[in-house]
Amino acid sequence: AQSVTQLGSHVSVSEGALVLLRCNYSSSVPPYLFWYVQYPNQGLQLLLKYTSAATLVKGINGFEAEFKKSETSFHLTKPSAHMSDAAEYFCAVSGPGGNTGFQKLVFGTGTRLLVSP
Amino acid sequence: GAVVSQHPSWVICKSGTSVKIECRSLDFQATTMFWYRQFPKQSLMLMATSNEGSKATYEQGVEKDKFLINHASLTLSTLTVTSAHPEDSSFYICSARGPLPNTEAFFGQGTRLTVV
């Protein structure tokens, strides 16, 4: 079984400040981990993903995340927040790719990022 | 990335009627499609998974007779909400994945269903 916990339903930062969104996972198999962003009334856009290669993953829009197995974490960071970063962010976990069958994503409850001027 | 198109983006229907939502992969073959439901300010809840040409696998608690899923081709899956009621009002999102070991699922833009 797999699960994801996102700490903090809301995170508020000032424009230009560091963004840190927390994600901890639980998985009985080597996990694949994802961060998605959702703007109001829209689908999800992939920010970045970890698929057992480099533990520090760089994504779009200046975001990055580091896979830490010892901490079972995959926190999302961005050095300097921009107003356009205000959105809902979801962390997700799935099993590894392979020929064992289709893999489904398990999502966290989401974190709303608020950016103030 | 690949494009998944979901249609319609919003729909209003009367209670008791059925509504069909389409999910199309425009530039890749979607061997697996997923349907999610999202309540306001909550996460995505997986409703069902379908492989092309096979019956969908529904998650526990999801009524298969109410939420009919068809995945008859490698580029199209449909979700039909039958005999819709106001409690079915929600945001429905599909995602599509190509053949394994492709690990990325691409999401449609979602459909806002309002049942009145």
Side-chain angles (χ1 to χ4, degrees):
Chain A
Q2 297 176 307
S3 66
V4 167
T5 301
Q6 290 184 243
L7 294 176
S9 58
H10 292 80
V11 170
S12 296
V13 299
S14 299
E15 192 172 20
L18 171 71
V19 175
L20 171 61
L21 304 181
R22 299 179 184 275
C23 173
N24 288 89
Y25 70 90
S26 173
S27 179
S28 56
V29 296
Y32 281 17
L33 293 157
F34 306 79
W35 274 101
Y36 288 88
V37 60
Q38 183 183 35
Y39 296 98
N41 293 312
Q42 293 188 29
L44 275 67
Q45 180 182 10
L46 181 67
L47 282 177
L48 49 79
K49 63 183 178 183
Y50 166 77
T51 57
S52 76
T55 56
L56 181 62
V57 182
K58 294 185 183 299
I60 62 171
N61 301 339
F63 285 94
E64 64 180 40
E66 185 172 8
F67 172 71
K68 292 187 177 180
K69 185 177 179 180
S70 61
E71 299 178 8
T72 61
S73 69
F74 190 59
H75 302 330
L76 182 70
T77 61
K78 182 174 180 177
S80 176
H82 192 272
M83 296 295 290
S84 61
D85 294 327
E88 189 85 17
Y89 291 81
F90 291 96
C91 183
V93 63
S94 78
N99 296 321
T100 58
F102 46 82
Q103 300 293 332
K104 59 184 181 182
L105 289 168
V106 176
F107 287 87
T109 50
T111 298
R112 181 166 298 276
L113 177 64
L114 306 170
V115 183
S116 56
Chain B
V3 179
V4 175
S5 177
Q6 194 171 335
H7 178 81
S9 56
W10 60 271
V11 58
I12 300 173
C13 71
K14 290 185 177 180
S15 203
T17 62
S18 295
V19 174
K20 180 183 286 188
I21 301 170
E22 293 187 347
C23 181
R24 294 182 183 271
S25 57
L26 299 186
D27 50 5
F28 69 102
Q29 293 186 328
T31 52
T32 305
M33 284 194 173
F34 306 87
W35 286 95
Y36 296 87
R37 182 172 181 177
Q38 185 180 29
F39 291 100
K41 300 184 180 181
Q42 294 188 30
S43 187
L44 283 74
M45 301 301 296
L46 180 65
M47 298 174 67
T49 303
S50 71
N51 288 318
E52 183 266 339
S54 302
K55 288 185 178 180
T57 301
Y58 290 80
E59 296 297 303
Q60 191 172 10
V62 178
E63 298 176 61
K64 60 179 66 177
D65 294 330
K66 181 165 188 64
F67 298 101
L68 301 179
I69 291 172
N70 183 282
H71 189 175
S73 79
L74 284 171
T75 59
L76 173 65
S77 176
T78 60
L79 167 66
T80 301
V81 183
T82 63
S83 187
H85 289 92
E87 57 265 32
D88 299 324
S89 299
S90 192
F91 194 58
Y92 293 87
I93 304 176
C94 72
S95 73
R97 166 178 281 151
L100 293 175
N102 186 325
T103 57
E104 183 170 353
F106 299 94
F107 285 79
Q109 60 269 55
T111 297
R112 171 76 58 194
L113 170 63
T114 301
V115 185
V116 297

